[in-house]
Amino acid sequence: DEKEKFEPTVFRDTIVQGLNEAGSDLEAIAKFLDATGSRLDYRRYADTLFDILVAGSMLAPGGTRIDDNDKTKMTSHCVFFAEEDHDAIRNYAQVRIIKG
């Protein structure tokens, strides 16, 4: 049995690139996440995925982002960068990830 490598930074780069390409359209973001779920292991990288969807990048212990201000490692399509109103936050919360 061969063990699969745990590579959260590769996962982060793939998700962030897709989110940035999807733009600010939450429907396009949901479609990207849905399509990507069939080839990426969301369970294995659940913490990384949560960090990206909420904070825009991976988080280190203590809550600082691990992106070195590199725009290719972070996205503004996340809860932290959403407009500060109830409807905007609810829309982000309703983005569904369905593993295909």
Side-chain angles (χ1 to χ4, degrees):
D1 291 320
E2 189 176 316
K3 283 191 169 188
E4 189 176 333
K5 263 182 136 175
F6 184 68
E7 298 181 292
T9 55
V10 173
F11 177 84
R12 175 208 52 210
D13 294 346
T14 303
I15 296 294
V16 166
Q17 179 183 2
L19 292 176
N20 288 339
E21 288 174 0
S24 60
D25 178 14
L26 291 179
E27 186 70 29
I29 288 172
K31 286 180 182 178
F32 162 74
L33 291 171
D34 192 27
T36 307
S38 64
R39 58 185 176 86
L40 294 180
D41 189 353
Y42 283 166
R43 285 186 188 163
R44 182 179 182 95
Y45 298 105
D47 291 338
T48 304
L49 181 61
F50 183 79
D51 289 351
I52 294 167
L53 295 176
V54 173
S57 188
M58 286 175 51
L59 299 177
T64 57
R65 288 194 335 223
I66 307 172
D67 56 37
D68 301 321
N69 288 322
D70 182 346
K71 300 293 184 197
T72 64
K73 297 179 182 179
M74 54 195 262
T75 184
S76 61
H77 308 300
C78 63
V79 174
F80 281 10
F81 290 100
E83 292 180 36
E84 292 184 29
D85 68 57
H86 182 73
D87 290 335
I89 300 299
R90 184 176 32 167
N91 288 337
Y92 273 94
Q94 291 177 347
V95 169
R96 302 278 192 255
I97 301 170
I98 302 169
K99 188 172 182 183

Coordinates of all heavy atoms in Angstrom, one line a residue:
D1 N 0.8 -1.2 0.0 CA 0.0 0.0 0.0 C 0.9 1.3 0.0 O 1.7 1.4 0.8 CB -0.9 0.0 1.2 CG -2.0 -1.0 1.2 OD1 -2.5 -1.3 0.1 OD2 -2.2 -1.6 2.3
E2 N 0.6 2.1 -0.9 CA 1.4 3.3 -1.1 C 0.6 4.5 -0.4 O -0.6 4.7 -0.7 CB 1.6 3.7 -2.5 CG 2.5 4.8 -2.7 CD 2.8 5.0 -4.2 OE1 3.0 4.0 -4.9 OE2 2.8 6.2 -4.6
K3 N 1.2 5.2 0.5 CA 0.6 6.3 1.2 C 0.5 7.5 0.2 O 1.5 7.8 -0.4 CB 1.3 6.7 2.5 CG 1.0 5.8 3.6 CD 1.5 6.4 4.9 CE 1.0 5.6 6.0 NZ 1.4 6.2 7.3
E4 N -0.6 8.2 0.3 CA -0.7 9.5 -0.5 C -0.1 10.6 0.3 O -0.3 10.7 1.5 CB -2.2 9.7 -0.7 CG -2.5 10.9 -1.7 CD -4.0 11.0 -2.0 OE1 -4.7 10.1 -1.9 OE2 -4.3 12.2 -2.3
K5 N 0.6 11.5 -0.4 CA 1.3 12.6 0.2 C 0.3 13.6 0.6 O -0.7 13.9 -0.1 CB 2.2 13.3 -0.8 CG 3.7 12.9 -0.7 CD 4.5 13.7 -1.7 CE 5.7 14.2 -1.0 NZ 6.6 14.8 -2.0
F6 N 0.5 14.2 1.8 CA -0.4 15.3 2.3 C 0.3 16.6 1.8 O 1.3 17.0 2.3 CB -0.5 15.2 3.8 CG -1.4 16.3 4.4 CD1 -2.8 16.2 4.1 CD2 -0.9 17.3 5.1 CE1 -3.6 17.1 4.7 CE2 -1.8 18.3 5.7 CZ -3.1 18.2 5.5
E7 N -0.4 17.3 0.9 CA 0.2 18.6 0.3 C -0.9 19.7 0.4 O -1.5 20.0 -0.7 CB 0.6 18.3 -1.1 CG 1.7 17.3 -1.2 CD 2.2 17.1 -2.6 OE1 1.5 16.6 -3.4 OE2 3.4 17.5 -2.9
P8 N -1.1 20.3 1.5 CA -2.1 21.3 1.6 C -1.8 22.6 0.8 O -2.7 23.3 0.4 CB -2.1 21.6 3.1 CG -0.9 21.1 3.7 CD -0.4 20.0 2.8
T9 N -0.5 22.9 0.6 CA -0.2 24.0 -0.2 C -0.5 23.9 -1.7 O -1.0 24.8 -2.3 CB 1.3 24.4 -0.1 OG1 2.1 23.3 -0.5 CG2 1.7 24.9 1.3
V10 N -0.4 22.6 -2.2 CA -0.8 22.3 -3.6 C -2.3 22.5 -3.7 O -2.9 23.0 -4.6 CB -0.3 21.0 -4.0 CG1 -0.9 20.6 -5.4 CG2 1.2 20.9 -4.1
F11 N -3.0 21.9 -2.7 CA -4.5 22.0 -2.6 C -4.9 23.5 -2.6 O -5.8 23.9 -3.3 CB -5.0 21.3 -1.4 CG -6.5 21.4 -1.2 CD1 -7.3 20.5 -1.9 CD2 -7.0 22.3 -0.3 CE1 -8.7 20.6 -1.7 CE2 -8.4 22.4 -0.2 CZ -9.2 21.6 -0.8
R12 N -4.3 24.3 -1.7 CA -4.6 25.7 -1.6 C -4.4 26.4 -2.9 O -5.3 27.2 -3.4 CB -3.7 26.4 -0.6 CG -3.9 27.9 -0.5 CD -2.7 28.7 -0.1 NE -1.5 28.4 -0.9 CZ -0.3 28.5 -0.4 NH1 0.0 28.9 0.9 NH2 0.8 28.2 -1.1
D13 N -3.3 26.2 -3.6 CA -3.0 26.8 -4.9 C -4.1 26.5 -5.9 O -4.5 27.4 -6.7 CB -1.6 26.4 -5.4 CG -0.5 27.0 -4.5 OD1 -0.8 27.8 -3.7 OD2 0.6 26.5 -4.7
T14 N -4.5 25.3 -5.9 CA -5.6 24.8 -6.9 C -6.9 25.5 -6.6 O -7.5 26.1 -7.5 CB -5.8 23.3 -6.9 OG1 -4.5 22.7 -7.1 CG2 -6.8 22.9 -7.9
I15 N -7.3 25.5 -5.3 CA -8.6 26.2 -4.9 C -8.5 27.7 -5.2 O -9.4 28.2 -5.7 CB -8.9 25.8 -3.5 CG1 -9.1 24.3 -3.3 CG2 -10.1 26.6 -3.0 CD1 -10.3 23.8 -4.0
V16 N -7.5 28.3 -4.7 CA -7.3 29.8 -4.9 C -7.4 30.2 -6.3 O -8.0 31.1 -6.7 CB -6.1 30.3 -4.1 CG1 -5.8 31.7 -4.5 CG2 -6.3 30.2 -2.6
Q17 N -6.6 29.5 -7.2 CA -6.6 29.8 -8.6 C -8.0 29.7 -9.2 O -8.5 30.5 -9.9 CB -5.7 28.8 -9.4 CG -5.6 29.1 -10.8 CD -4.7 28.1 -11.6 OE1 -4.2 27.2 -11.0 NE2 -4.6 28.3 -12.9
G18 N -8.7 28.6 -8.8 CA -10.1 28.4 -9.3 C -11.1 29.5 -8.8 O -11.9 30.0 -9.6
L19 N -10.9 29.9 -7.6 CA -11.8 30.9 -7.0 C -11.5 32.3 -7.7 O -12.4 33.0 -8.0 CB -11.6 31.1 -5.5 CG -12.1 29.9 -4.7 CD1 -11.7 30.1 -3.2 CD2 -13.6 29.7 -4.8
N20 N -10.2 32.6 -7.9 CA -9.9 33.8 -8.6 C -10.4 33.8 -10.0 O -10.8 34.9 -10.5 CB -8.4 34.1 -8.5 CG -8.0 34.4 -7.1 OD1 -8.8 34.9 -6.2 ND2 -6.7 34.2 -6.8
E21 N -10.3 32.7 -10.7 CA -10.8 32.7 -12.1 C -12.3 32.8 -12.1 O -12.8 33.3 -13.1 CB -10.3 31.4 -12.7 CG -8.8 31.4 -13.0 CD -8.3 30.0 -13.6 OE1 -9.1 29.1 -13.7 OE2 -7.1 30.0 -13.8
A22 N -13.0 32.3 -11.1 CA -14.5 32.3 -11.1 C -15.0 33.7 -10.9 O -16.1 34.1 -11.2 CB -15.0 31.4 -10.0
G23 N -14.1 34.6 -10.3 CA -14.5 36.0 -10.1 C -15.5 36.1 -8.9 O -15.5 35.2 -8.0
S24 N -16.2 37.2 -8.8 CA -17.0 37.5 -7.7 C -18.4 36.9 -7.8 O -19.2 37.1 -6.9 CB -17.1 39.0 -7.5 OG -17.7 39.6 -8.6
D25 N -18.7 36.1 -8.8 CA -20.0 35.5 -9.0 C -20.1 34.2 -8.1 O -19.4 33.2 -8.4 CB -20.2 35.1 -10.5 CG -21.5 34.4 -10.8 OD1 -22.4 34.4 -9.9 OD2 -21.6 33.9 -11.9
L26 N -20.9 34.3 -7.1 CA -21.0 33.2 -6.2 C -21.5 31.9 -6.8 O -21.1 30.8 -6.5 CB -21.8 33.5 -5.0 CG -21.2 34.6 -4.0 CD1 -22.2 34.9 -2.9 CD2 -19.9 34.1 -3.5
E27 N -22.3 32.0 -7.9 CA -22.8 30.9 -8.6 C -21.6 30.2 -9.3 O -21.5 29.0 -9.3 CB -23.9 31.3 -9.6 CG -24.5 30.1 -10.3 CD -25.4 29.3 -9.4 OE1 -26.0 29.9 -8.4 OE2 -25.5 28.1 -9.7
A28 N -20.7 31.0 -9.9 CA -19.6 30.4 -10.6 C -18.6 29.8 -9.6 O -18.0 28.7 -9.9 CB -18.8 31.5 -11.4
I29 N -18.5 30.4 -8.4 CA -17.7 29.8 -7.3 C -18.2 28.5 -6.9 O -17.5 27.5 -6.8 CB -17.6 30.8 -6.2 CG1 -16.7 32.0 -6.6 CG2 -17.0 30.1 -4.9 CD1 -16.6 33.1 -5.5
A30 N -19.6 28.4 -6.7 CA -20.2 27.1 -6.3 C -20.0 26.1 -7.4 O -19.7 24.9 -7.0 CB -21.7 27.4 -6.0
K31 N -20.1 26.4 -8.6 CA -19.9 25.5 -9.7 C -18.5 24.9 -9.7 O -18.2 23.8 -9.9 CB -20.3 26.1 -11.0 CG -21.8 26.2 -11.2 CD -22.1 26.8 -12.6 CE -23.6 27.0 -12.7 NZ -24.0 27.6 -14.0
F32 N -17.5 25.9 -9.5 CA -16.1 25.5 -9.5 C -15.9 24.5 -8.4 O -15.3 23.4 -8.5 CB -15.2 26.7 -9.4 CG -13.8 26.3 -8.9 CD1 -12.9 25.7 -9.7 CD2 -13.4 26.5 -7.6 CE1 -11.7 25.3 -9.3 CE2 -12.2 26.2 -7.1 CZ -11.3 25.6 -8.0
L33 N -16.4 24.8 -7.2 CA -16.2 23.9 -6.0 C -16.8 22.6 -6.2 O -16.3 21.6 -5.8 CB -16.7 24.6 -4.7 CG -15.8 25.8 -4.3 CD1 -16.6 26.6 -3.2 CD2 -14.4 25.4 -3.9
D34 N -18.0 22.6 -6.8 CA -18.7 21.4 -7.1 C -18.0 20.5 -8.0 O -17.8 19.3 -7.8 CB -20.1 21.7 -7.6 CG -21.0 20.5 -7.6 OD1 -20.8 19.6 -6.8 OD2 -21.9 20.5 -8.5
A35 N -17.5 21.1 -9.1 CA -16.7 20.3 -10.1 C -15.4 19.8 -9.6 O -14.9 18.7 -9.9 CB -16.5 21.2 -11.4
T36 N -14.7 20.6 -8.8 CA -13.4 20.3 -8.2 C -13.5 19.2 -7.2 O -12.6 18.4 -7.0 CB -12.7 21.5 -7.6 OG1 -12.7 22.6 -8.6 CG2 -11.3 21.3 -7.2
G37 N -14.7 19.1 -6.5 CA -14.9 18.1 -5.5 C -14.7 16.7 -6.0 O -14.4 15.8 -5.2
S38 N -15.0 16.5 -7.2 CA -14.8 15.1 -7.8 C -13.4 14.7 -8.0 O -13.1 13.5 -8.1 CB -15.6 15.0 -9.1 OG -15.0 15.8 -10.1
R39 N -12.5 15.6 -8.0 CA -11.1 15.2 -8.2 C -10.1 15.6 -7.0 O -9.0 15.1 -7.0 CB -10.5 15.7 -9.5 CG -10.6 17.2 -9.7 CD -10.1 17.6 -11.1 NE -10.3 19.0 -11.3 CZ -9.4 19.9 -10.9 NH1 -8.2 19.5 -10.4 NH2 -9.6 21.2 -11.1
L40 N -10.6 16.5 -6.1 CA -9.8 16.8 -5.0 C -10.4 16.2 -3.7 O -11.6 16.1 -3.6 CB -9.7 18.3 -4.8 CG -8.9 19.1 -5.9 CD1 -8.9 20.6 -5.6 CD2 -7.5 18.6 -6.0
D41 N -9.6 15.9 -2.8 CA -10.1 15.2 -1.5 C -10.4 16.3 -0.5 O -9.6 16.7 0.3 CB -9.0 14.3 -1.0 CG -9.5 13.4 0.1 OD1 -10.7 13.6 0.6 OD2 -8.8 12.5 0.5
Y42 N -11.7 16.8 -0.5 CA -12.1 17.8 0.4 C -12.1 17.4 1.9 O -11.8 18.2 2.7 CB -13.5 18.3 0.1 CG -13.6 19.2 -1.1 CD1 -14.8 19.5 -1.7 CD2 -12.5 19.8 -1.7 CE1 -15.0 20.4 -2.8 CE2 -12.6 20.7 -2.8 CZ -13.8 20.9 -3.3 OH -13.9 21.8 -4.4
R43 N -12.3 16.1 2.1 CA -12.2 15.6 3.5 C -10.8 15.7 4.0 O -10.6 16.1 5.2 CB -12.7 14.2 3.6 CG -14.2 14.1 3.5 CD -14.6 12.7 3.7 NE -16.0 12.5 3.4 CZ -16.7 11.4 3.2 NH1 -16.0 10.3 3.3 NH2 -17.9 11.4 2.9
R44 N -9.9 15.3 3.2 CA -8.5 15.3 3.6 C -7.9 16.7 3.9 O -7.1 16.9 4.8 CB -7.6 14.6 2.5 CG -6.2 14.5 2.8 CD -5.5 13.8 1.7 NE -4.1 13.6 1.9 CZ -3.6 12.5 2.4 NH1 -4.3 11.5 2.7 NH2 -2.3 12.4 2.6
Y45 N -8.4 17.6 3.1 CA -8.0 19.0 3.3 C -9.1 19.9 3.8 O -9.1 21.1 3.5 CB -7.5 19.5 1.9 CG -6.3 18.7 1.4 CD1 -6.5 17.8 0.3 CD2 -5.1 18.9 1.9 CE1 -5.4 17.1 -0.2 CE2 -4.0 18.2 1.4 CZ -4.2 17.3 0.4 OH -3.1 16.5 -0.1
A46 N -9.9 19.4 4.6 CA -11.1 20.2 5.1 C -10.7 21.5 5.9 O -11.2 22.5 5.6 CB -11.9 19.3 6.1
D47 N -9.6 21.4 6.7 CA -9.2 22.6 7.4 C -8.6 23.6 6.4 O -8.9 24.8 6.6 CB -8.1 22.2 8.4 CG -8.6 21.4 9.6 OD1 -9.8 21.5 9.9 OD2 -7.8 20.7 10.2
T48 N -7.9 23.2 5.4 CA -7.4 24.2 4.5 C -8.5 24.8 3.7 O -8.5 26.0 3.4 CB -6.4 23.4 3.5 OG1 -5.3 22.8 4.3 CG2 -5.8 24.4 2.5
L49 N -9.5 24.0 3.2 CA -10.6 24.5 2.5 C -11.4 25.5 3.3 O -11.7 26.6 2.8 CB -11.5 23.3 2.0 CG -12.7 23.7 1.2 CD1 -12.3 24.4 -0.1 CD2 -13.6 22.5 0.9
F50 N -11.6 25.2 4.6 CA -12.3 26.1 5.5 C -11.6 27.4 5.6 O -12.1 28.5 5.5 CB -12.5 25.5 6.8 CG -13.3 26.3 7.8 CD1 -14.7 26.4 7.7 CD2 -12.7 27.0 8.8 CE1 -15.4 27.2 8.6 CE2 -13.4 27.8 9.7 CZ -14.8 27.9 9.5
D51 N -10.2 27.4 5.8 CA -9.4 28.6 5.9 C -9.6 29.4 4.7 O -9.7 30.7 4.7 CB -7.9 28.2 6.1 CG -7.6 27.6 7.4 OD1 -8.4 27.6 8.3 OD2 -6.4 27.1 7.6
I52 N -9.5 28.8 3.5 CA -9.6 29.6 2.2 C -11.0 30.2 2.1 O -11.1 31.4 1.7 CB -9.3 28.6 1.0 CG1 -7.8 28.2 1.1 CG2 -9.6 29.4 -0.3 CD1 -7.5 27.0 0.1
L53 N -12.0 29.5 2.3 CA -13.4 30.0 2.1 C -13.7 31.1 3.1 O -14.5 32.0 2.8 CB -14.4 28.9 2.2 CG -14.3 27.8 1.1 CD1 -15.3 26.7 1.3 CD2 -14.5 28.5 -0.3
V54 N -13.1 31.0 4.3 CA -13.4 32.1 5.3 C -12.4 33.2 5.3 O -12.8 34.4 5.2 CB -13.5 31.4 6.7 CG1 -13.6 32.5 7.8 CG2 -14.7 30.4 6.8
A55 N -11.1 32.9 5.3 CA -10.1 33.9 5.4 C -9.4 34.2 4.1 O -8.6 35.2 4.1 CB -9.1 33.5 6.5
G56 N -9.5 33.5 3.1 CA -8.9 33.8 1.8 C -7.6 33.1 1.5 O -7.0 33.2 0.5
S57 N -7.0 32.4 2.5 CA -5.8 31.7 2.4 C -5.6 30.7 3.5 O -6.4 30.7 4.5 CB -4.6 32.6 2.3 OG -3.4 31.9 2.0
M58 N -4.6 29.9 3.5 CA -4.3 29.0 4.7 C -3.9 29.9 5.9 O -3.3 30.9 5.8 CB -3.1 28.1 4.3 CG -3.5 27.0 3.4 SD -2.1 25.9 2.9 CE -1.4 25.5 4.4
L59 N -4.3 29.3 7.1 CA -3.9 30.0 8.3 C -2.9 29.2 9.1 O -3.0 28.0 9.2 CB -5.2 30.2 9.1 CG -6.3 31.1 8.5 CD1 -7.5 31.2 9.4 CD2 -5.8 32.5 8.2
A60 N -2.0 29.9 9.7 CA -1.1 29.3 10.6 C -1.7 29.2 12.0 O -2.7 29.9 12.3 CB 0.2 30.1 10.7
P61 N -1.2 28.4 12.9 CA -1.7 28.4 14.3 C -1.6 29.8 14.8 O -0.6 30.5 14.6 CB -0.7 27.5 15.0 CG -0.3 26.5 14.0 CD -0.2 27.4 12.7
G62 N -2.7 30.3 15.4 CA -2.7 31.7 15.9 C -3.5 32.6 15.0 O -3.9 33.7 15.3
G63 N -3.8 32.1 13.8 CA -4.7 32.8 12.9 C -4.0 33.7 11.8 O -4.7 34.4 11.1
T64 N -2.7 33.7 11.7 CA -2.1 34.5 10.7 C -2.1 33.8 9.4 O -2.0 32.6 9.3 CB -0.6 34.9 11.0 OG1 0.1 33.7 11.2 CG2 -0.6 35.8 12.3
R65 N -2.3 34.5 8.3 CA -2.3 33.9 6.9 C -0.9 33.5 6.5 O 0.1 34.1 6.7 CB -2.9 34.9 5.9 CG -4.4 35.1 6.1 CD -5.1 35.7 4.9 NE -4.2 36.5 4.1 CZ -4.5 37.7 3.7 NH1 -5.7 38.2 3.9 NH2 -3.7 38.4 2.9
I66 N -0.9 32.3 5.8 CA 0.4 31.8 5.3 C 0.4 32.1 3.8 O 0.2 31.2 3.0 CB 0.5 30.3 5.5 CG1 0.3 29.9 7.0 CG2 1.8 29.8 5.0 CD1 0.2 28.5 7.2
D67 N 0.6 33.3 3.4 CA 0.6 33.6 2.0 C 1.7 34.6 1.6 O 2.0 34.8 0.4 CB -0.7 34.1 1.5 CG -1.2 35.3 2.3 OD1 -0.4 36.2 2.6 OD2 -2.4 35.4 2.5
D68 N 2.4 35.2 2.5 CA 3.5 36.1 2.3 C 3.1 37.2 1.3 O 3.9 37.7 0.5 CB 4.7 35.4 1.8 CG 5.3 34.3 2.7 OD1 5.2 34.6 3.9 OD2 5.7 33.3 2.2
N69 N 1.8 37.6 1.4 CA 1.2 38.6 0.5 C 1.4 38.3 -1.0 O 1.4 39.2 -1.8 CB 1.8 40.0 0.8 CG 1.3 40.5 2.1 OD1 0.1 40.3 2.4 ND2 2.1 41.2 2.9
D70 N 1.5 37.0 -1.3 CA 1.6 36.6 -2.7 C 0.2 36.4 -3.2 O -0.6 35.6 -2.7 CB 2.4 35.2 -2.7 CG 2.5 34.7 -4.2 OD1 1.8 35.2 -5.1 OD2 3.3 33.8 -4.3
K71 N -0.2 37.2 -4.1 CA -1.6 37.3 -4.6 C -2.0 35.9 -5.2 O -3.2 35.7 -5.3 CB -1.8 38.4 -5.6 CG -1.5 39.8 -5.1 CD -2.5 40.2 -4.1 CE -2.2 41.6 -3.6 NZ -2.9 41.9 -2.4
T72 N -1.1 35.1 -5.7 CA -1.5 33.8 -6.3 C -1.8 32.8 -5.2 O -2.3 31.7 -5.5 CB -0.3 33.3 -7.2 OG1 0.8 33.0 -6.3 CG2 0.0 34.2 -8.3
K73 N -1.5 33.1 -3.9 CA -1.8 32.2 -2.8 C -3.0 32.7 -2.0 O -3.2 32.1 -0.9 CB -0.5 32.1 -1.9 CG 0.6 31.5 -2.7 CD 1.8 31.4 -1.8 CE 3.0 30.8 -2.5 NZ 4.2 30.8 -1.7
M74 N -3.7 33.7 -2.4 CA -4.8 34.2 -1.6 C -5.9 34.6 -2.6 O -5.7 34.9 -3.7 CB -4.4 35.3 -0.7 CG -3.7 36.4 -1.4 SD -2.8 37.5 -0.3 CE -4.0 38.8 -0.1
T75 N -7.1 34.7 -2.0 CA -8.3 35.1 -2.8 C -9.1 36.1 -2.0 O -9.1 36.0 -0.8 CB -9.2 33.9 -3.2 OG1 -10.2 34.4 -4.0 CG2 -9.8 33.2 -2.0
S76 N -9.7 37.0 -2.7 CA -10.6 38.0 -2.0 C -12.0 37.5 -2.0 O -12.9 38.1 -1.5 CB -10.5 39.3 -2.6 OG -10.9 39.3 -4.0
H77 N -12.3 36.3 -2.6 CA -13.6 35.7 -2.7 C -13.9 34.8 -1.5 O -13.9 33.6 -1.6 CB -13.8 35.0 -4.0 CG -13.4 35.8 -5.2 ND1 -14.1 37.0 -5.5 CD2 -12.5 35.7 -6.1 CE1 -13.5 37.6 -6.5 NE2 -12.5 36.8 -6.9
C78 N -14.0 35.4 -0.3 CA -14.1 34.7 0.9 C -15.0 35.6 1.9 O -15.2 36.7 1.6 CB -12.8 34.4 1.5 SG -11.8 35.8 2.0
V79 N -15.3 35.0 3.0 CA -16.2 35.7 4.0 C -15.5 37.0 4.5 O -16.1 38.0 4.7 CB -16.5 34.8 5.2 CG1 -17.3 35.5 6.3 CG2 -17.4 33.6 4.6
F80 N -14.2 36.9 4.8 CA -13.5 38.1 5.4 C -13.5 39.3 4.5 O -13.4 40.4 4.9 CB -12.0 37.7 5.7 CG -11.9 37.0 7.0 CD1 -12.9 36.4 7.7 CD2 -10.6 36.7 7.5 CE1 -12.8 35.7 8.9 CE2 -10.4 36.0 8.7 CZ -11.5 35.5 9.4
F81 N -13.6 39.1 3.2 CA -13.6 40.2 2.2 C -15.0 40.5 1.7 O -15.1 41.4 0.9 CB -12.6 39.9 1.0 CG -11.2 39.9 1.4 CD1 -10.5 38.7 1.6 CD2 -10.5 41.1 1.5 CE1 -9.2 38.8 2.0 CE2 -9.2 41.1 1.9 CZ -8.5 40.0 2.1
A82 N -16.0 39.9 2.2 CA -17.4 40.1 1.8 C -17.8 41.5 2.4 O -17.3 42.0 3.4 CB -18.3 39.0 2.3
E83 N -18.9 42.0 1.7 CA -19.4 43.2 2.3 C -20.0 43.0 3.7 O -20.4 41.8 4.0 CB -20.6 43.7 1.4 CG -20.2 44.2 0.0 CD -21.4 44.6 -0.8 OE1 -22.3 45.2 -0.2 OE2 -21.4 44.3 -2.0
E84 N -19.9 44.0 4.5 CA -20.3 43.8 5.9 C -21.8 44.0 6.1 O -22.3 44.9 6.7 CB -19.5 44.7 6.8 CG -18.1 44.3 6.9 CD -17.3 45.2 7.9 OE1 -17.9 45.6 8.9 OE2 -16.1 45.4 7.7
D85 N -22.6 43.1 5.5 CA -24.1 43.1 5.7 C -24.6 41.7 5.7 O -23.9 40.8 5.2 CB -24.8 44.0 4.7 CG -24.8 43.5 3.3 OD1 -25.3 42.3 3.1 OD2 -24.4 44.2 2.4
H86 N -25.7 41.6 6.3 CA -26.3 40.2 6.6 C -26.5 39.4 5.3 O -26.1 38.3 5.2 CB -27.6 40.4 7.3 CG -28.3 39.1 7.7 ND1 -27.8 38.3 8.6 CD2 -29.3 38.5 7.1 CE1 -28.5 37.2 8.7 NE2 -29.5 37.3 7.8
D87 N -27.0 40.1 4.2 CA -27.3 39.3 3.0 C -26.0 38.8 2.3 O -26.0 37.7 1.8 CB -28.1 40.2 2.0 CG -29.5 40.5 2.5 OD1 -30.0 39.6 3.2 OD2 -30.1 41.5 2.1
A88 N -25.0 39.7 2.3 CA -23.7 39.3 1.7 C -23.1 38.1 2.4 O -22.7 37.1 1.8 CB -22.7 40.4 1.7
I89 N -23.1 38.1 3.7 CA -22.5 37.0 4.5 C -23.4 35.7 4.3 O -22.8 34.6 4.2 CB -22.4 37.4 6.0 CG1 -21.5 38.6 6.2 CG2 -21.9 36.2 6.8 CD1 -20.1 38.4 5.7
R90 N -24.7 35.9 4.3 CA -25.6 34.7 4.1 C -25.3 34.1 2.7 O -25.3 32.9 2.6 CB -27.0 35.2 4.2 CG -28.0 34.0 4.1 CD -29.4 34.4 4.3 NE -29.5 35.7 3.9 CZ -30.7 36.3 3.7 NH1 -31.8 35.7 3.9 NH2 -30.8 37.5 3.2
N91 N -25.1 34.9 1.7 CA -24.8 34.4 0.4 C -23.6 33.5 0.4 O -23.5 32.5 -0.3 CB -24.7 35.5 -0.7 CG -26.0 36.1 -1.0 OD1 -27.1 35.5 -0.8 ND2 -26.0 37.4 -1.4
Y92 N -22.5 34.0 1.1 CA -21.3 33.2 1.2 C -21.6 31.9 1.9 O -21.1 30.8 1.6 CB -20.2 33.9 1.8 CG -19.4 34.7 0.9 CD1 -19.7 36.1 0.6 CD2 -18.3 34.2 0.1 CE1 -19.0 36.8 -0.3 CE2 -17.6 34.9 -0.8 CZ -17.9 36.2 -1.0 OH -17.2 37.0 -1.9
A93 N -22.4 31.9 3.0 CA -22.7 30.8 3.8 C -23.5 29.7 3.0 O -23.4 28.5 3.2 CB -23.4 31.2 5.0
Q94 N -24.2 30.2 2.0 CA -25.1 29.3 1.2 C -24.4 28.7 0.0 O -25.0 27.8 -0.6 CB -26.3 30.0 0.7 CG -27.2 30.4 1.9 CD -28.4 31.2 1.4 OE1 -28.5 31.7 0.3 NE2 -29.4 31.3 2.3
V95 N -23.1 29.0 -0.2 CA -22.4 28.3 -1.3 C -22.2 26.9 -0.9 O -21.7 26.6 0.2 CB -21.0 29.0 -1.5 CG1 -20.1 28.2 -2.4 CG2 -21.2 30.4 -2.1
R96 N -22.7 26.0 -1.7 CA -22.7 24.6 -1.3 C -21.5 23.9 -2.0 O -21.3 24.1 -3.2 CB -24.0 23.9 -1.8 CG -25.2 24.5 -1.2 CD -25.5 24.0 0.2 NE -26.8 24.4 0.7 CZ -27.0 25.3 1.6 NH1 -26.0 26.0 2.1 NH2 -28.2 25.6 2.0
I97 N -20.9 23.0 -1.3 CA -19.9 22.1 -1.8 C -20.5 20.7 -1.9 O -20.8 20.1 -0.8 CB -18.6 22.1 -1.0 CG1 -18.1 23.6 -0.9 CG2 -17.6 21.2 -1.6 CD1 -17.0 23.7 0.1
I98 N -20.7 20.1 -3.0 CA -21.2 18.8 -3.2 C -20.2 17.9 -3.8 O -19.8 18.2 -4.9 CB -22.5 18.8 -4.0 CG1 -23.5 19.8 -3.4 CG2 -23.1 17.4 -4.2 CD1 -24.7 20.1 -4.4
K99 N -19.7 16.9 -3.1 CA -18.7 16.0 -3.6 C -19.4 15.1 -4.6 O -20.4 14.4 -4.3 CB -18.1 15.2 -2.5 CG -16.9 14.4 -3.0 CD -16.2 13.8 -1.8 CE -15.0 13.0 -2.4 NZ -14.3 12.3 -1.4
G100 N -18.9 15.1 -5.9 CA -19.5 14.4 -6.9 C -19.1 12.9 -7.0 O -18.3 12.4 -6.3

